[in-house]
Amino acid sequence: MDYKEKYEELLEAHRLLENELAALTLKSDNQANNGNDSIKSIVESREKAFLEHLIDSTPEAIAITDCCGKLTLVNTEFTNLFGFNPEEAINKDINDLIVPDEMINEVIRIDDVNIRKQKVYRQTIRKDKYGNKIHVSLIATNIVINNEIVAYLGIYRDISLERKKNLVQEILYNISSAALNQFEMKDIYPTIVQELSKIWDTSNFFIALYDKDSETLSMPFFSDEKDNFREVPARKTITGWVIGLKKPVLFKENDLKSLEDSGDIDLVGTPCKVWMGVPLRADNEIIGVMCFQDYHEENKFTQDDVNALEFIGNQVAIAIQRRTMLNNVILASRKAEEAAQSKQQFMSTMTHEIRTPLNEVIGITNLLLQEHPREDQMDYIKTLRFSGNHLLTLVNDVLDFNKMESGKIIFEQTPFNLSDFLNDILRSYSFRSKAKNLEFDIVKQNELPVEVVGDPIRLNQILFNLLSNALKFTRHGSITVNIVELERSGNESKIEFTVRDTGIGIPKDKHKIIFESFTQASPDTTRHYGGTGLGLAICKKLVELQGGNIEVESEPGKGSAFRFFITFGIPEKSDKVRQPEPAETYAGLEGKRILMAEDNKLNFFVANKFLIGWGVKVTHAENGKIALDLLEREDFDLIIMDLHMPVMDGVEATRIIRKSENPRIKDVPIVALTAAIMSENHDKIDDLKINDYILKPFKPQDLFDRIKKHVR
Ligand code: ADP
């Protein structure tokens, strides 16, 4: 019979019993009123026998006590449940018999309510003859005759199983949640123990984890009245035996003895009365064992307990495994983060290291070119300058890409004239295309806004990359830039650019990967065409960071079309569009006093040559400290401040200058010279109150422009 049917039957019996009791109470009243006669007494004794039979055969434990709590009747189920037969129970105080000490107050409360309400229902705990706690449902009613309580009736039902089932569900849930929420494995074990203690006494309980390679057991949790183990070899222990068996076990003292006699195990520690252990199974592998034992009571655990513990054990194993996996993933991602950080650090250092000598190479090349070299030398110097610039572009690409990867790039939102912008591109690429005998054209497919708001430098960078590729990979035919406004809404314009060529084309299976960093369509691309595989990765980042999208359409032999869109703003009519700066003539700095704080002699040498050429009066300081001293004594119209210097660097010197109380010192324009365009150095620059900065190696025009812009 399944549990539900049995329960229904119990309820029915319960109902019958209550009806009968009510009838009995009524009859007693009638008898009291009407007096005895013999027929009635026969009926009465028959009814009494019937009632007694009913009470005895009912599957619920029934106890009747007198007004003082002395037992006057118990049924067979009472004996089954609590272990006391009628002889042991009758005339005993029910509280002494089955109420655990800690529940005595609750009993008093039940009695109180009972007197007023006549009936109380609750779930509570009672104890049996052996002191075992039993979870029961209790219906307590009083028996009233002539408005007077003459007795109490208690009906008990064992709900341990039901409760255990609910508890097991609760425990499973709590253990899984803990496994997800706690980061450290060691923090999960207390939860496991706390949860298990809802059902079992955990004073003799341990969790053992099994290490297959070393065949050892480690105990992340171990609680025992008698022994203490932290790590033991698994061989010949009962725990090891359970791992080998892969099944849960319930051993009594004798079972353990016979196992020991058969040589299967060597008992270590104090012998116990009962030992219950379940393997922790994850993915068909046993990762450990959970075990309860008891030193006093052989019947402490039953097969039901083993089943419940096995069920929980499976969940614990999954929880442990899941947490371990999660931890591995978290650890891996932390390592990846650290690696990315150190990569950035490395790039930052490399910038400095590469740019300093590059500065020297390009700077001296520029100087050599100014000194009227011989015709034959001119070629070498121009090649040198070309290679230097190429190397500089490469370094810039790598740095740019890294900067984008670390999310440190900021896009300008500046109004610019789109027509002028496109004309510049047309001019520059017509010239380069002609040199390769290629046609070049820019086609506006519909009317475009004349002015837009966005980042012209980044747009130029994208088109520059795409057009350079088109030029590089096309031998015959043409290169076209198609531009179309896809959408205009409010003050926004979505513009699509397509760079189309008739070059070598790209196989379909490479369309995706060419946008990844350092990848090219074929392994011999570098050999034939040069390049690093960074250009498209940079384009993709630049487009996507501006909310756009880039894709390619291409077939080998038929050319390629790279298409991307960006949404620009449209300026208010009043906004002034930035005009291209007129070409500089290097005039206007004559007689200006400039203090140059730079430790690298060669850098100073190069810059000094240019500055003097522009008529500037240059003073040199080898570090920030000397610069500060000079500034105290002399007036300067501007300081060129290298940020990396010994003794006192430019960052520190700038801070001191800006804090000065003397306005002559405090407000002196400062243009920083820096090799790093990324990472923390750049952040530092942003914080500093400098007026501008120039990246090394500087272009003479750039140096001139910045000085001119800020000089006093
Ligand atoms: P790089 O040009 O420095 O190698 P890119 O990221 O710009 O790096 O391009 C990646 C690869 O995509 C190129 O090496 C080439 O194989 C392919 N590719 C890019 N543009 C074109 C094009 N217009 N025609 C043919 N192949 C191209």
Side-chain angles (χ1 to χ4, degrees):
M1 189 187 313
D2 84 353
Y3 179 77
K4 208 165 166 209
E5 274 175 54
K6 182 151 179 146
Y7 182 65
E8 290 297 331
E9 195 180 272
L10 281 173
L11 278 183
E12 184 53 30
H14 198 155
R15 260 194 300 278
L16 270 175
L17 191 63
E18 285 207 330
N19 290 344
E20 284 305 326
L21 270 168
L24 178 70
T25 315
L26 206 72
K27 284 223 163 69
S28 308
D29 288 353
N30 289 343
Q31 280 163 8
N33 291 340
N34 303 334
N36 287 338
D37 72 22
S38 60
I39 300 166
K40 270 186 190 161
S41 104
I42 293 166
V43 173
E44 191 185 303
S45 65
R46 277 189 59 189
E47 279 174 353
K48 189 166 175 263
F50 170 75
L51 204 63
E52 274 173 5
H53 176 75
L54 190 73
I55 290 178
D56 216 37
S57 56
T58 193
E60 309 213 29
I62 293 175
I64 297 177
T65 57
D66 63 15
C67 301
C68 316
K70 291 255 175 323
L71 280 159
T72 57
L73 183 145
V74 293
N75 70 350
T76 309
E77 188 53 30
F78 184 92
T79 309
N80 291 343
L81 183 57
F82 295 110
F84 300 104
N85 59 34
E87 289 78 47
E88 291 168 314
I90 303 296
N91 278 329
K92 299 274 166 46
D93 188 314
I94 188 164
N95 292 354
D96 293 344
L97 228 49
I98 64 166
V99 177
D101 293 345
E102 66 275 15
M103 306 299 289
I104 206 76
N105 286 337
E106 187 219 51
V107 170
I108 295 166
R109 277 200 306 278
I110 292 180
D111 288 349
D112 267 4
V113 179
N114 206 355
I115 290 167
R116 281 180 275 118
K117 273 200 181 165
Q118 303 203 343
K119 189 166 170 184
V120 170
Y121 173 83
R122 74 174 47 200
Q123 296 192 349
T124 180
I125 299 170
R126 293 292 177 262
K127 64 175 182 190
D128 68 6
K129 188 173 169 180
Y130 313 101
N132 295 325
K133 306 273 165 65
I134 308 169
H135 287 267
V136 291
S137 73
L138 163 65
I139 298 173
T141 59
N142 48 35
I143 301 172
V144 182
I145 299 177
N146 285 342
N147 283 331
E148 195 188 324
I149 298 172
V150 294
Y152 293 106
L153 168 75
I155 304 170
Y156 301 86
R157 186 160 58 80
D158 183 357
I159 54 163
S160 311
L161 255 177
E162 210 175 303
R163 196 177 159 276
K164 227 176 237 178
K165 267 192 195 161
N166 290 341
L167 269 179
V168 167
Q169 291 304 329
E170 183 182 315
I171 291 170
L172 290 181
Y173 174 78
N174 290 346
I175 290 177
S176 324
S177 313
L180 285 177
N181 297 333
Q182 304 287 354
F183 180 70
E184 297 281 350
M185 261 324 290
K186 67 175 175 30
D187 296 332
I188 298 172
Y189 296 114
T191 310
I192 295 174
V193 179
Q194 184 195 333
E195 290 300 315
L196 292 178
S197 69
K198 289 177 179 169
I199 300 187
W200 297 287
D201 171 8
T202 47
S203 40
N204 294 298
F205 167 71
F206 67 81
I207 299 173
L209 295 180
Y210 178 55
D211 183 72
K212 216 164 52 177
D213 298 334
S214 61
E215 288 192 25
T216 46
L217 297 165
S218 58
M219 279 61 168
F221 184 86
F222 192 94
S223 155
D224 199 289
E225 288 169 36
K226 315 252 182 199
D227 302 322
N228 192 4
F229 297 111
R230 283 284 162 259
E231 204 172 279
V232 287
R235 231 176 80 77
K236 293 250 170 172
T237 59
I238 332 174
T239 313
W241 200 77
V242 173
I243 288 168
L245 190 69
K246 299 187 175 161
K247 283 195 183 120
V249 296
L250 179 64
F251 287 141
K252 303 270 167 79
E253 199 173 9
N254 283 341
D255 303 324
L256 291 171
K257 275 228 167 68
S258 25
L259 263 180
E260 187 170 35
D261 292 344
S262 69
D264 282 336
I265 59 166
D266 285 336
L267 283 177
V268 279
T270 317
C272 62
K273 292 275 184 212
V274 60
W275 197 96
M276 164 169 80
V278 302
L280 299 174
R281 187 194 311 271
D283 287 344
N284 274 333
E285 200 174 316
I286 309 296
I287 60 167
V289 171
M290 265 194 323
C291 164
F292 282 91
Q293 47 186 330
D294 196 83
Y295 291 104
H296 314 287
E297 170 56 52
E298 202 180 57
N299 293 322
K300 184 97 170 189
F301 309 114
T302 65
Q303 192 54 41
D304 276 345
D305 291 314
V306 178
N307 296 345
L309 188 64
E310 185 185 14
F311 199 44
I312 296 173
N314 289 337
Q315 190 59 42
V316 168
I318 292 171
I320 292 176
Q321 204 192 30
R322 195 186 299 161
R323 187 67 257 176
T324 315
M325 267 158 57
L326 266 175
N327 285 5
N328 288 343
V329 172
I330 292 170
L331 224 70
S333 86
R334 268 195 202 155
K335 273 195 185 145
E337 242 169 61
E338 277 167 21
Q341 258 179 13
S342 55
K343 184 175 127 200
Q344 261 202 45
Q345 192 60 45
F346 170 76
M347 294 312 300
S348 171
T349 318
M350 283 295 283
T351 340
H352 190 66
E353 296 301 320
I354 297 174
R355 277 167 173 268
T356 307
L358 249 188
N359 184 22
E360 291 159 8
V361 172
I362 294 175
I364 290 184
T365 316
N366 282 330
L367 282 180
L368 283 175
L369 275 171
Q370 282 198 338
E371 313 233 310
H372 312 294
R374 290 193 319 259
E375 201 57 33
D376 58 326
Q377 286 172 330
M378 193 74 157
D379 269 354
Y380 294 137
I381 298 170
K382 280 192 173 159
T383 312
L384 188 61
R385 186 169 68 170
F386 175 82
S387 300
N389 281 331
H390 179 71
L391 190 56
L392 183 62
T393 315
L394 187 69
V395 171
N396 281 344
D397 268 3
V398 174
L399 294 172
D400 235 16
F401 185 72
N402 266 279
K403 199 171 151 197
M404 280 180 241
E405 280 220 309
S406 62
K408 288 212 162 123
I409 188 162
I410 297 163
F411 289 90
E412 256 190 73
Q413 282 300 314
T414 179
F416 66 97
N417 189 312
L418 191 58
S419 296
D420 289 351
F421 176 89
L422 293 174
N423 284 338
D424 281 348
I425 292 202
L426 184 67
R427 213 174 303 122
S428 142
Y429 283 90
S430 297
F431 180 73
R432 292 176 62 185
S433 302
K434 215 172 261 163
K436 276 192 86 177
N437 264 335
L438 299 170
E439 303 269 323
F440 181 77
D441 203 3
I442 294 183
V443 181
K444 297 177 194 166
Q445 289 187 334
N446 55 7
E447 206 183 316
L448 302 172
V450 182
E451 294 154 8
V452 291
V453 178
D455 193 329
I457 293 171
R458 297 301 177 183
L459 178 62
N460 190 30
Q461 201 178 351
I462 299 165
L463 287 169
F464 171 84
N465 270 317
L466 297 180
L467 285 167
S468 301
N469 279 347
L471 274 171
K472 190 161 68 172
F473 295 109
T474 309
R475 285 216 177 92
H476 316 283
S478 61
I479 297 167
T480 327
V481 183
N482 276 297
I483 304 165
V484 58
E485 183 180 45
L486 296 179
E487 226 177 274
R488 188 179 305 197
S489 56
N491 54 357
E492 278 190 345
S493 169
K494 184 173 171 183
I495 299 178
E496 185 184 81
F497 300 78
T498 308
V499 176
R500 198 180 294 278
D501 65 50
T502 54
I504 60 169
I506 306 156
K508 205 164 175 59
D509 62 325
K510 300 286 190 269
H511 286 190
K512 251 207 171 111
I513 62 153
I514 52 167
F515 289 102
E516 287 166 20
S517 49
F518 303 108
T519 43
Q520 299 184 316
S522 79
D524 56 3
T525 306
T526 311
R527 197 153 29 91
H528 291 305
Y529 301 95
T532 53
L534 261 182
L536 288 179
I538 290 177
C539 286
K540 187 170 154 70
K541 281 253 152 108
L542 286 176
V543 170
E544 286 176 354
L545 286 171
Q546 294 181 87
N549 185 36
I550 183 164
E551 58 190 20
V552 63
E553 233 176 70
S554 178
E555 250 183 78
K558 293 198 175 158
S560 314
F562 285 86
R563 179 174 295 123
F564 70 94
F565 73 81
I566 291 176
T567 303
F568 294 93
I570 298 178
E572 302 280 320
K573 284 276 164 288
S574 61
D575 272 4
K576 279 229 171 75
V577 170
R578 200 168 61 177
Q579 293 298 323
E581 310 251 319
E584 288 290 342
T585 52
Y586 296 129
L589 294 185
E590 298 80 3
K592 296 287 179 194
R593 295 154 301 175
I594 291 183
L595 171 63
M596 182 160 185
E598 163 69 88
D599 63 310
N600 185 308
K601 288 203 170 59
L602 222 93
N603 277 349
F604 173 71
F605 171 75
V606 174
N608 189 39
K609 274 265 178 187
F610 284 103
L611 293 170
I612 290 174
W614 301 330
V616 171
K617 283 173 73 186
V618 185
T619 309
H620 184 207
E622 269 150 6
N623 61 49
K625 178 105 189 30
I626 298 173
L628 287 180
D629 292 346
L630 282 166
L631 199 55
E632 286 287 337
R633 284 183 269 128
E634 287 176 48
D635 284 350
F636 293 101
D637 299 315
L638 185 136
I639 303 179
I640 297 173
M641 181 82 82
D642 183 23
L643 292 184
H644 293 267
M645 284 183 291
V647 186
M648 181 190 283
D649 67 13
V651 176
E652 182 64 22
T654 305
R655 280 216 176 94
I656 296 173
I657 291 171
R658 291 298 184 235
K659 275 189 196 145
S660 165
E661 310 223 313
N662 181 347
R664 183 184 59 83
I665 295 174
K666 183 172 183 266
D667 300 328
V668 65
I670 300 178
V671 172
L673 258 186
T674 169
I677 60 164
M678 56 172 294
S679 128
E680 79 281 273
N681 290 325
H682 199 175
D683 295 344
K684 262 197 225 161
I685 295 172
D686 289 343
D687 292 345
L688 275 181
K689 290 187 182 127
I690 56 166
N691 299 69
D692 214 332
Y693 60 91
I694 304 171
L695 296 182
K696 289 193 281 189
F698 59 83
K699 293 194 182 112
Q701 180 77 54
D702 200 24
L703 181 68
F704 181 86
D705 288 349
R706 310 273 160 152
I707 296 174
K708 180 92 187 290
K709 188 168 166 198
H710 300 286
V711 75
R712 288 208 260 224

